[in-house]
Amino acid sequence: GSSCGPLHFWSYERGEFLFELRVHNAYVLALGINAQGHIISVAQDDDRIHVSDPEARASVREIRCPFGTMREPVIFEEGRFLAACCGEDGNLLVLFDLEQEALLSTYTHPHRISALVAADGVGDESGTVLLVGDAHGQTFVLDVATRGSRDEWMFVASEDA
């Protein structure tokens, strides 16, 4: 990804540029690869998740976030889930199931969300645990595979500082 939006593909073995794929017009914030080898990307000030096929050198689909621009996007291992912050206050957490091309869940956090980290290899299903840090120094843990209510899938992992 680049600051101007295009995705650049390089051959690691040969050390040479292969091609460019233009799916964004702004700074690329997150990149991932799903089980089909498609590239998942989200750009700054964008409300769309792009899924591109590097073999076809084309975008294959877009998933629009109904809550507007996404910040702090995180793509989970194997590219199945995506989490991001939305809203003017930065306290709305959105979770997408990219295989189903659907919004999985939302959670309005009491404080601005300052960090999201996919904790790959933790939990019952590998690659489904999300760490959520907020502006008040608290850390929460979410297993997106449970798809339950807030009380079922989120707990506080740290106390106020």
Side-chain angles (χ1 to χ4, degrees), residues 80-81 104 124-125 128-129 142-148 153:
R80 174 155 185 204
F81 299 108
L104 181 65
D124 292 338
E125 294 187 38
T128 63
V129 173
L142 157 67
D143 187 342
V144 300
T146 63
R147 302 176 187 206
W153 50 252

Side-chain angles (χ1 to χ4, degrees), residues 5-86:
L7 304 177
H8 295 146
F9 292 82
W10 293 79
S11 169
Y12 178 77
E13 291 85 20
R14 297 184 305 232
E16 63 185 40
F17 176 76
L18 299 175
F19 63 93
E20 176 181 277
L21 183 60
R22 292 196 167 270
V23 294
H24 299 288
N25 293 321
Y27 188 86
V28 176
L29 296 176
L31 286 171
I33 300 173
N34 68 14
Q36 295 77 37
H38 294 155
I39 304 297
I40 301 158
S41 58
V42 177
Q44 183 177 7
D45 299 327
D46 202 347
D47 65 348
R48 295 165 295 163
I49 302 162
H50 291 270
V51 181
S52 305
D53 182 348
E55 299 235 349
R57 299 184 184 189
S59 179
V60 291
R61 68 182 180 272
E62 290 181 353
I63 303 165
R64 194 167 290 277
C65 178
F67 301 101
T69 300
M70 293 175 282
R71 292 184 295 279
E72 304 293 335
V74 171
I75 301 166
F76 287 76
E77 181 180 3
E78 299 179 10
R80 174 155 185 204
F81 299 108
L82 181 138
C85 305
C86 293

Side-chain angles (χ1 to χ4, degrees), residues 76-130:
F76 287 76
E77 181 180 3
E78 299 179 10
R80 174 155 185 204
F81 299 108
L82 181 138
C85 305
C86 293
E88 288 181 28
D89 297 329
N91 64 339
L92 179 64
L93 175 65
V94 293
L95 299 168
F96 290 91
D97 184 326
L98 300 176
E99 285 181 6
Q100 302 297 317
E101 298 184 33
L103 180 65
L104 181 65
S105 185
T106 62
Y107 167 65
T108 302
H109 193 68
H111 309 292
R112 181 175 186 81
I113 296 170
S114 58
L116 296 174
V117 176
D120 297 333
V122 178
D124 292 338
E125 294 187 38
S126 179
T128 63
V129 173
L130 178 69

